[in-house]
Amino acid sequence: MDRISLRDARRLAIARAGLAPAKWSGLPATARGAGPAARDAAHAVIDRFGYLQLDTISVAGARSHSLVLASRLDGIDAALGERLLVPGAPLFEYWGHEACWMPLALYPLFRFRRERFRNHPWWGDIIGPNRAVADALLKRARDEGPFKSSDLEGARGKGWWDLKTSKQVADALWSSGDLAIRERRGFQRVYDLAERVIPDDLRTADVPLHDAMRALIRLAFAGHGWADAKTVAATWRFRPSWPHFQAAIRSLVDDGEIVPCELDAGDATRAGWIRPADLDLAARLRRWRPSDELGVLLSPFDPLLWDRDRLRRLFAFDYVIEVYTPAAKRKHGYYCMPVLVGDRIVARVDLKADRGAGELRTVACHFETPGRGGRGSPADRAAVAAAVARHARAVGLPSHE
């Protein structure tokens, strides 16, 4: 069995996440503004993972999906991240890792999930007892065109049953594939009939579950480098014990697409897998001099961060997002963003964008190695300053400590 060191796995994770220099990551490192070239670069990042997780919080000047792009593409206008899903774009919105934008070519792979989500993942069979509401929503889309959830608010008492129910049914029709998200306006979903949004060949394709699982697992490894069963399964919200998942892993091993590989953490090992090409990349990354890199801020929902156990194992970094923690009990701040420098996380910064005042404020900064007076080393302070300045440029606000 192959074995990979903790340092090699960490650097490989950073490279596959698109956060190492382009020579190692294979992704563009810059994207100026919000024009066609920047849009193409953004799609290249999404293609690497197969998903771009969505989130509503914009306190730091942009939402998570824009922050993920800005952390990889220096010079991009973060506002572009809000405008990626438009009619004709090679993306669709669905349940991937979470609610995500994903490459349109992946649509057939989620047929199994659309079928399973005939019962909504949160509300169960909400369509069955509300069939009249579902039929009315589908008729509205067919006769009147796309609609937002907010469009239903003025319809109370005019044929719509209950506003909350109608919104839930619309979401359930999207989850089951009868509706699709045509675009986002002000981060509101715009629903339309799936046949108007998804090309017929993709919408009707019948991909066997085993083949779909294999393709999605390949994408998980492309984004992670080395990974164990828990991380691979969580990438697409599979269960590690699911027989279909285990069979797909075995078949990829049998075909030589991934190989068993133990993570050597010094005092312990952990079983996992890796693509043969990434074993070679990990060896080449030993020549990387990460101390030469500038700092970059990461979204709390960044693909490098969302698996907190993996983050702790590879980076010795404990991270809890405190959005739902009462203010008096927060340790680091409402929306703390880790600062990555090369292959180290050196700090976490809590930022607040004030559009009215025209500034980006640093509410708090906590260094992982506090140094004298808790201010971190000069190098770490410089890295944080560079990371905040880059973020400020992306969101279009001058920064103030």
Side-chain angles (χ1 to χ4, degrees):
M1 180 180 292
D2 287 295
R3 179 171 290 194
I4 189 170
S5 72
L6 194 60
R7 189 188 75 163
D8 286 353
R10 180 170 59 249
R11 291 187 175 187
L12 178 62
I14 293 166
R16 295 311 304 169
L19 290 163
K23 67 178 291 187
W24 306 114
S25 73
L27 288 175
T30 60
R32 302 301 177 192
R39 189 176 291 270
D40 289 345
H43 285 302
V45 172
I46 299 172
D47 289 346
R48 166 62 57 87
F49 302 107
Y51 63 90
L52 183 63
Q53 182 178 344
L54 304 175
D55 190 72
T56 61
I57 300 171
S58 59
V59 66
R63 296 183 176 92
S64 178
H65 38 290
S66 295
L67 301 179
V68 169
L69 299 175
S71 65
R72 287 151 175 83
L73 302 170
D74 192 12
I76 196 170
D77 180 351
L80 174 63
E82 298 294 332
R83 304 194 298 266
L84 288 177
L85 185 68
V86 294
L91 295 175
F92 74 105
E93 182 171 331
Y94 194 60
W95 300 109
H97 172 65
E98 297 287 354
C100 295
W101 290 339
M102 296 181 281
L104 190 56
L106 300 188
Y107 188 85
L109 304 185
F110 288 92
R111 184 184 185 116
F112 75 95
R113 183 158 289 167
R114 293 189 293 275
E115 291 174 349
R116 182 155 61 88
F117 282 2
R118 291 290 170 185
N119 284 337
H120 193 275
W122 298 341
W123 305 309
D125 182 17
I126 193 171
I127 293 179
N130 294 285
R131 188 68 251 179
V133 180
D135 289 344
L137 286 170
L138 292 170
K139 185 176 187 302
R140 173 173 181 153
R142 187 174 299 109
D143 295 346
E144 302 178 29
F147 65 90
K148 306 189 297 291
S149 292
S150 61
D151 293 338
L152 307 178
E153 294 175 3
R156 189 190 299 273
K158 298 181 181 178
W160 298 105
W161 280 252
D162 172 78
L163 181 59
K164 179 179 178 182
T165 298
S166 65
K167 288 184 176 181
Q168 290 177 334
V169 170
D171 190 77
L173 289 169
W174 164 63
S175 296
S176 65
D178 295 295
L179 293 177
I181 308 300
R182 182 178 181 84
E183 59 184 313
R184 289 267 187 165
R185 296 179 192 161
F187 203 60
Q188 280 201 43
R189 290 169 173 166
V190 178
Y191 295 98
D192 200 354
L193 297 176
E195 61 257 36
R196 291 196 195 129
V197 177
I198 308 299
D200 286 345
D201 60 330
L202 298 178
R203 189 172 52 82
T204 60
D206 186 8
V207 178
L209 176 58
H210 183 69
D211 294 344
M213 297 285 292
R214 281 170 55 97
L216 292 172
I217 290 170
R218 286 189 196 100
L219 270 173
F221 281 104
H224 294 306
W226 178 90
D228 61 12
K230 175 180 172 293
T231 296
V232 176
T235 304
W236 302 110
R237 295 309 182 206
F238 301 145
R239 299 185 308 276
S241 60
W242 192 23
H244 294 291
F245 171 76
Q246 295 177 333
I249 287 282
R250 286 195 299 270
S251 72
L252 290 170
V253 172
D254 291 344
D255 291 346
E257 294 194 45
I258 57 174
V259 296
C261 181
E262 288 184 339
L263 175 67
D264 184 355
D267 57 349
T269 60
R270 188 170 184 87
W273 301 270
I274 193 171
R275 302 184 306 174
D278 284 337
L279 272 175
D280 295 337
L281 176 58
R284 296 199 307 275
L285 279 163
R286 294 170 194 157
R287 302 196 299 270
W288 179 26
R289 296 293 177 262
S291 59
D292 296 336
E293 306 301 328
L294 298 176
V296 62
L297 289 167
L298 301 182
S299 158
F301 306 104
D302 193 279
L304 190 68
L305 302 183
W306 56 251
D307 188 335
R308 306 301 198 222
D309 288 341
R310 181 173 183 264
L311 180 65
R312 189 179 303 111
R313 186 173 299 115
L314 295 185
F315 289 86
F317 184 72
D318 284 303
Y319 185 47
V320 176
I321 186 169
E322 298 178 296
V323 167
Y324 303 108
T325 303
K329 296 184 178 181
R330 290 178 194 141
K331 182 178 179 182
H332 296 109
Y334 177 79
Y335 197 77
C336 268
M337 300 173 65
V339 180
L340 179 73
V341 184
D343 61 355
R344 297 183 304 128
I345 295 175
V346 303
R348 55 191 97 195
V349 179
D350 189 24
L351 298 176
K352 182 175 177 59
D354 187 337
R355 295 287 178 184
E359 66 179 18
L360 178 72
R361 295 199 301 271
T362 299
V363 179
C365 177
H366 302 270
F367 290 93
E368 294 305 293
T369 304
R372 181 177 298 177
R375 298 181 63 245
S377 69
D380 287 352
R381 291 199 302 273
V384 168
V388 172
R390 170 173 166 168
H391 177 86
R393 291 192 298 272
V395 301
L397 289 172
S399 61
H400 297 279
E401 294 189 4

